[in-house]
Every structure is written in C-alpha cells, then in structure tokens.
Amino acid sequence: MNAITIQQTLLDCGDARVVLASDADMRPVVGLSTHGGERFVQIDRVTMLELERGMVDPGTVMAERCAGLAVA
C-alpha cells in the first residue's frame, strides 16, 4: 500500500468524494471514494492543474485521462 497525501477535495456529494492527491514519490493522482471503497489513479501534471482550475471535470479525467495505473 502506498502512502497517499490528499491535497484538495474537488467534489463531495455525500456518497462520493473526488480528491487530488499525491503518492509517496510526489506523482499526482486523482482519487474516488464511495461506500464501496476508494481508488487512486495516476494522472499527469497538466491534468492536475486543469482539475485545480476547474478547466476539466473529474468525470472526464476518470474516463479519458487517467494513466490506468492504480496506486492504492
């Protein structure tokens, strides 16, 4: 299990939460947490900045931009 540091909550819908985070090697990841568990996947720095600025929505990132590497 990798150490994950939460940096910012992007979306909190009660049942689900989307966060920006980084792993122990300071790689940016996006996390999705629901009652069924949580999943963190690696993203690139451009996508991280776009998420922070609201230029892209979390759904698009999860569907189209994740590197596919689950880190936790």
Side-chain angles (χ1 to χ4, degrees), residues 58-70:
T60 299
V61 170
M62 295 300 282
E64 299 175 8
R65 297 196 186 183
C66 288
L69 303 172

Side-chain angles (χ1 to χ4, degrees), residues 24-71:
D25 294 327
M26 298 306 294
R27 293 179 295 224
V29 297
V30 65
L32 174 62
S33 144
T34 63
H35 291 298
E38 61 271 335
R39 181 178 184 121
F40 292 89
V41 290
Q42 189 175 346
I43 57 175
D44 60 39
R45 293 205 180 275
V46 171
T47 298
M48 179 190 70
L49 292 171
E50 289 176 340
L51 277 167
E52 287 177 334
R53 295 176 182 149
M55 297 171 66
V56 65
D57 65 278
T60 299
V61 170
M62 295 300 282
E64 299 175 8
R65 297 196 186 183
C66 288
L69 303 172
V71 295

Side-chain angles (χ1 to χ4, degrees), residues 8-28:
Q8 180 180 357
T9 299
L10 298 173
L11 182 63
D12 189 350
C13 295
D15 291 342
R17 178 177 292 164
V18 178
V19 298
L20 277 179
S22 59
D23 67 7
D25 294 327
M26 298 306 294
R27 293 179 295 224

